[in-house]
Amino acid sequence: MSRQYQLFATTPKGLELLLVDELRALGAKDPREKLAGVSFQGDLTLAYKACLWSRLANRILLSLASVPADTPDELYRGVQSIAWDEHIDAKATLAVHFVSSNSNITHTLFGAQKVKDAIVDQLREKYGVRPSVAKEEPDVSVYVYLQRDVAAISIDLSGESLHKRGYRLSQVTAPLKENLAAAILKRCNWENIAKDNGTLMDPMCGSGTLLIEGALMAADIAPGIMREYFGFLGWKQHQPALWRKLWDEANARREAGIARLPQIIGYDEDAEAIKSAFENIERAGLRGKIHVEKRDLFEFTPMTKLQPGLVVTNPPYGERLGEVEEIKPLYTDLGNRLKLAFTGWKAGVITGNPDLGKQMGLRSKKQYAFFNGAIPSQLLLFDVEPQNFVDRSPEADNARRVRAAQRAVSESQQAAIEMFANRIKKNLKHIARQAKREGKTSYRIYDADLPDYAFAIDVDGDKIYVREYEAPKNIDIKKVERRRQEVLAVLPELLSVDPGVIYFEVISE
Ligand SMILES: C[S@@+](CC[C@H](N)C(=O)[O-])C[C@H]1O[C@@H](n2cnc3c(N)ncnc32)[C@H](O)[C@@H]1O
């Protein structure tokens, strides 16, 4: 049996479970979910495959040892207990990446220096020459994760984060990381939609990350195939023939896959974004396979003869205060476009603000939480079907408000507002009758007649306007809300009207 290694794949928080599945499918043994990573075992073939094929991992680490590292000297001794000549040629270049959490050694540059000293001292003693340090693309990259004064020491086989596929040199503001885009597409079930030849569309595609990752997935293209650098290329145990074989296999799969790509289309209102998407598509070797075009969201419709599929998008978030309000209509627009022209499609929308998602007027079937960089975000999944359309008309809002009030008001409270109800009934008898006699269709049926119920209620044709006088600051807000719910709950029956015609607002005197 070929040599087995203990491996660890790092990933952004929230993607661990997807990564467990991905690594298992690649052949990983015993993949286990950890915080921001997955531990697993496998041989060198598997380690190479993880570097070449993982769409979700940041780094693939080959674990060497865990050593106690309370002090710098202890760290030095621990690093020296590893036989570095098995991994690093004395004439090679080297970089050390040091991460510290909850430990005595907090200074990461100092920690990295200590680790480097231990390695080069050992090799110099043995060979008389020592590796030199290279920050960019070193032959071997050593990764140390110090947690609670225990240092986990690994070789970073990826060398540089795998989300850097090599196609994205140009970018617009707020692009999604490539591995996050891949995770979003997996959550949207894009792999299966693509198998059925479904279309992929992103109406706000920016630099095209979702479109390109979608194409790589659908065409069975290894995300690492465009990379020229990996951390294992200069590692002493690297097996070039094995790597070449895996790369050639991936290349053959790419050629077969690219011939059967479904339609992939992106729009953005910003010409610069489209230019950068175009350049990225070209660099990814997907020219002619993804269509991008400058187009505003209000022109977003599927061209005729498109196979229904997936609309996936990452609209602006409105991170700064005040921006959220400005951006709300964009989400309403997106919802309207989907409802109007994409029935039968699936949709996935990434947003940093749940309130924005609600503006779409579509009931989501699933929500996933993850981090887009430091921003806690949500992926909302939709089946664009009429039964999931939420009516955002004022009448629908009125009816929802009344129904919520009726749910909140219990039977016992209903009894408590009998006084209010009796007053309305009494007023109606006189005022409504008189209005009828005079041929009036607009009249006031109640005006804060009872001090506890500070409302003005007007009939205007077949509409009812309930205006609540703003309560003084010293009144308990809970009490104000309860009165409001009581009134809204009983009015439809008292006035024999549909809840949808009861408009409500708070007015300050
Ligand atoms: C957060 S960025 C998308 C980033 C993209 N996912 C990437 O990885 O590059 C949001 C994009 O929405 C576009 N956008 C905003 N309003 C739009 C509108 N009304 N119509 C079309 N695109 C719009 C912006 O130009 C921007 O490129």
Side-chain angles (χ1 to χ4, degrees), residues 56-295:
L56 306 170
N58 281 333
R59 290 172 192 274
I60 305 296
L61 306 174
L62 181 137
S63 308
L64 300 180
S66 273
V67 297
D70 269 314
T71 64
D73 284 346
E74 200 174 25
L75 174 67
Y76 183 93
R77 280 196 299 279
V79 175
Q80 282 226 321
S81 70
I82 295 165
W84 288 102
D85 62 342
E86 288 177 13
H87 301 284
I88 307 175
D89 190 279
K91 289 191 239 79
T93 55
L94 165 74
V96 178
H97 193 93
F98 195 93
V99 182
S100 168
S101 131
N102 290 323
S103 298
N104 289 334
I105 303 172
T106 52
H107 196 300
T108 53
L109 280 182
F110 172 74
Q113 182 73 29
K114 209 71 196 163
V115 172
K116 187 215 77 188
D117 287 348
I119 299 171
V120 302
D121 290 353
Q122 188 194 72
L123 291 171
R124 187 172 35 211
E125 210 157 283
K126 192 155 178 187
Y127 298 105
V129 271
R130 47 152 285 184
S132 52
V133 172
K135 285 221 169 72
E136 296 290 318
E137 306 196 345
D139 291 324
V140 179
S141 180
V142 174
Y143 193 93
V144 180
Y145 181 52
L146 181 66
Q147 195 197 22
R148 295 199 163 96
D149 299 313
V150 175
I153 301 160
S154 317
I155 301 284
D156 178 0
L157 296 178
S158 36
E160 188 176 56
S161 181
L162 294 173
H163 82 266
K164 296 183 185 162
R165 318 284 203 224
Y167 64 76
R168 202 170 71 184
L169 300 181
S170 58
Q171 58 183 46
V172 284
T173 44
L176 283 174
K177 287 251 166 66
E178 294 83 335
N179 52 349
L180 188 58
I184 286 163
L185 287 157
K186 276 180 187 269
R187 286 288 188 217
C188 290
N189 198 27
W190 165 238
E191 285 152 313
N192 286 325
I193 297 173
K195 276 191 194 125
D196 293 338
N197 207 30
T199 306
L200 182 68
M201 291 187 96
D202 180 351
M204 290 175 262
C205 68
S207 58
T209 321
L210 284 162
L211 302 171
I212 296 172
E213 288 299 316
L216 297 182
M217 273 160 127
D220 193 27
I221 300 175
I225 205 163
M226 287 155 267
R227 279 169 61 112
E228 287 177 359
Y229 172 73
F230 285 96
F232 57 71
L233 292 172
W235 174 50
K236 234 174 155 180
Q237 295 176 33
H238 175 45
Q239 293 183 23
L242 173 60
W243 169 243
R244 185 76 225 169
K245 178 172 152 279
L246 295 172
W247 195 94
D248 286 346
E249 276 169 18
N251 204 33
R253 279 169 69 172
R254 174 185 189 281
E255 267 159 35
I258 211 160
R260 52 176 158 74
L261 261 182
Q263 301 230 49
I264 302 184
I265 300 160
Y267 302 123
D268 201 289
E269 61 164 9
D270 177 6
E272 276 303 302
I274 290 300
K275 181 169 170 280
S276 116
F278 192 78
E279 287 167 5
N280 291 336
I281 289 166
E282 192 151 84
R283 259 192 299 271
L286 293 165
R287 189 188 184 141
K289 304 288 172 190
I290 300 178
H291 173 88
V292 286
E293 187 183 320
K294 179 178 173 317
R295 213 189 251 212

Side-chain angles (χ1 to χ4, degrees), residues 331 349 351 353-362 380 382:
Y331 281 74
V349 176
T351 174
N353 186 318
D355 266 1
L356 289 173
K358 286 201 188 111
Q359 303 307 312
M360 290 174 57
L362 258 175
L380 306 173
F382 304 94

Side-chain angles (χ1 to χ4, degrees), residues 312-326:
V312 64
T313 198
N314 161 221
Y317 277 22
E319 283 152 57
R320 281 182 292 277
L321 222 61
E323 277 181 355
V324 171
E325 281 307 313
E326 271 171 43

Side-chain angles (χ1 to χ4, degrees), residues 480-498:
V480 175
E481 266 168 27
R482 199 168 60 238
R483 294 275 183 255
R484 179 188 307 155
Q485 284 168 339
E486 288 169 4
V487 169
L488 289 172
V490 297
L491 273 183
E493 202 186 319
L494 280 174
L495 305 179
S496 311
V497 295
D498 187 89

